[in-house]
């Protein structure tokens, strides 16, 4: 093993000479290659008539390549996806040449690489994933030489966008609330609507007495309207039963709008 360590160094030097020394950790690749060399020495069978260097080089290249794949992405992707992606790109280029410049369809590409369309889509989607640092500074391509003054980061951009989306969602919820209240008044009596608004916290808190706000209990609603709790509960349940059939279609629209705001 000691006398063949130069083979590991030779494989790692290929990445360094190609300008990838700063992108990958050469020490990690050396360790992986050395472990592969030890594994090759354990499994080597001289009786087969092959030289040890020929046999060990296969193990070293596979280990260094695997280390390079793991270091190339922050979120690791299985090695088989890397191999499938390279094969898909190669076959796609060949098919495009044979089809006269036309891009092959997913079905044609799947038949050529012996993979289903779903497998190809999953592989391409996994390899297209990109990761960006939140501390990365945003470069203005229109003014590349404007210096480092007042440069925003990805974190600040996302934070501003989140605040803008929050204001937009707040306004959308306000419109939905008003639309829902108008719908209730179209189908129920004013007293029934007031009970529902108080019970589920849709009533404007500025119109409520001090100390009342948000969704109220049956007892609190009964004290505000001057009715017994049992009667309030029956009236609310009857109103909900009526609404279940009266605005079933409109309620589906409300639910879809709420899902888009979450």
């Amino acid at each position: 093993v000691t006398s063949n360590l130069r083979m590991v160094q030779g494989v790692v030097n290929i990445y360094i000479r190609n300008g990838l020394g700063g992108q990958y950790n050469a020490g990690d690749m050396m360790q992986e290659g050395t472990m592969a060399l030890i594994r090759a020495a354990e499994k080597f069978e001289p009786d087969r008539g092959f030289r040890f260097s020929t046999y060990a080089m296969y193990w070293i290249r596979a280990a260094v390549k695997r280390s390079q794949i793991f270091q190339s992405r922050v979120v690791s992707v299985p090695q088989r996806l890397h191999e499938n992606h390279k094969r898909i790109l190669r076959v796609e280029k060949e098919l495009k040449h044979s089809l006269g410049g036309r891009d092959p369809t997913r079905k044609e590409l799947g038949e050529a690489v012996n993979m289903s369309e779903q497998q190809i889509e999953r592989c391409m989607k996994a390899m297209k994933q990109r990761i960006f640092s939140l501390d990365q500074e945003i470069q203005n391509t229109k003014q590349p030489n404007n210096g480092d003054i007042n440069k925003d980061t990805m974190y600040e951009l996302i934070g501003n966008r989140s605040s803008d989306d929050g204001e937009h969602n707040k306004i959308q919820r306000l419109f939905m609330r008003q639309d829902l209240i108008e719908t209730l008044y179209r189908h129920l009596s004013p007293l029934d609507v007031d009970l529902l608004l108080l019970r589920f916290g849709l009533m404007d808190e500025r119109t409520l007495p001090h100390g009342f706000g948000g969704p109220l209990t049956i007892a609190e609603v009964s004290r505000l309207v001057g009715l017994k709790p049992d009667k309030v509960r029956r009236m609310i349940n009857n109103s909900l039963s009526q609404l279940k059939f009266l605005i079933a279609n409109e309620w589906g629209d409300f639910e879809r709008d709420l899902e888009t705001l979450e």
Side-chain angles (χ1 to χ4, degrees):
V1 172
T2 305
S3 59
N4 287 281
L5 286 176
R6 294 179 63 87
M7 288 195 303
V8 179
Q9 184 64 52
V11 175
V12 175
N13 283 341
I14 295 177
Y15 293 90
I16 298 177
R17 285 197 300 268
N18 290 333
L20 302 178
Q23 183 176 357
Y24 304 115
N25 191 324
D28 290 345
M29 290 192 289
M30 278 292 299
Q31 291 181 358
E32 292 292 337
T34 304
M35 292 174 62
L37 180 62
I38 295 173
R39 183 61 174 166
E42 294 174 351
K43 297 182 69 67
F44 179 62
E45 297 180 5
D47 298 337
R48 292 182 176 270
F50 297 101
R51 297 174 56 186
F52 174 73
S53 58
T54 304
Y55 179 73
M57 185 58 72
Y58 167 80
W59 285 84
I60 295 171
R61 286 176 176 171
V64 173
K65 183 179 180 180
R66 183 168 57 251
S67 176
Q68 175 259 326
I69 290 175
F70 288 155
Q71 294 183 44
S72 63
R73 304 177 66 91
V74 178
V75 179
S76 62
V77 175
Q79 185 177 358
R80 58 182 178 81
L81 289 182
H82 282 271
E83 300 294 339
N84 290 338
H85 184 251
K86 291 173 60 177
R87 183 157 56 97
I88 290 171
L89 294 181
R90 185 182 69 255
V91 174
E92 183 179 18
K93 185 177 180 180
E94 295 174 355
L95 286 177
K96 185 176 181 178
H97 180 71
S98 61
L99 294 173
R102 178 178 65 85
D103 292 332
T105 62
R106 282 282 190 264
K107 184 177 181 181
E108 295 172 342
L109 189 59
E111 293 176 352
V113 297
N114 195 22
M115 296 173 62
S116 65
E117 297 182 29
Q118 291 78 9
Q119 289 175 324
I120 294 178
E121 189 67 28
R122 191 182 304 116
C123 179
M124 301 299 289
K125 183 178 179 180
M127 298 305 299
K128 286 181 180 179
Q129 294 177 353
R130 295 292 181 267
I131 296 176
F132 301 94
S133 173
L134 291 178
D135 296 328
Q136 178 182 354
E137 294 182 346
I138 301 174
Q139 179 69 38
N140 187 356
T141 57
K142 301 293 184 180
Q143 299 177 355
N145 299 321
N146 60 350
D148 298 334
I149 302 176
N150 298 328
K151 278 191 176 181
D152 292 333
T153 62
M154 293 287 291
Y155 179 80
E156 294 172 347
L157 179 63
I158 295 174
N160 294 335
R161 182 177 179 182
S162 299
S163 62
D164 294 341
D165 291 344
E167 291 295 329
H168 174 73
N169 291 342
K170 184 178 180 180
I171 296 174
Q172 287 293 105
R173 288 180 183 274
L174 179 60
F175 287 150
M176 288 178 58
R177 174 177 171 274
Q178 295 175 350
D179 191 16
L180 178 59
I181 293 175
E182 292 175 359
T183 304
L184 293 178
Y185 275 113
R186 286 200 305 267
H187 298 287
L188 300 175
S189 65
L191 179 58
D192 291 335
V193 174
D194 290 341
L195 293 178
L196 289 175
L197 297 182
L198 290 171
R199 179 70 179 90
F200 295 102
L202 296 175
M203 183 72 75
D204 190 353
E205 296 185 0
R206 293 174 295 182
T207 63
L208 298 177
H210 179 70
F212 292 89
L216 303 180
T217 63
I218 297 295
E220 291 173 338
V221 175
S222 66
R223 288 203 303 271
L224 285 176
V225 299
L227 298 174
K228 293 183 178 181
D230 291 340
K231 185 174 182 179
V232 172
R233 182 179 292 105
R234 287 196 303 270
M235 294 178 66
I236 291 176
N237 290 336
N238 291 334
S239 300
L240 293 176
S241 299
Q242 295 178 35
L243 292 174
K244 182 178 181 180
F245 299 99
L246 292 175
I247 62 171
N249 295 332
E250 295 182 57
W251 184 252
D253 297 334
F254 286 123
E255 287 186 335
R256 283 192 295 271
D257 292 338
L258 284 173
E259 290 178 356
T260 59
L261 296 177
E262 291 177 355

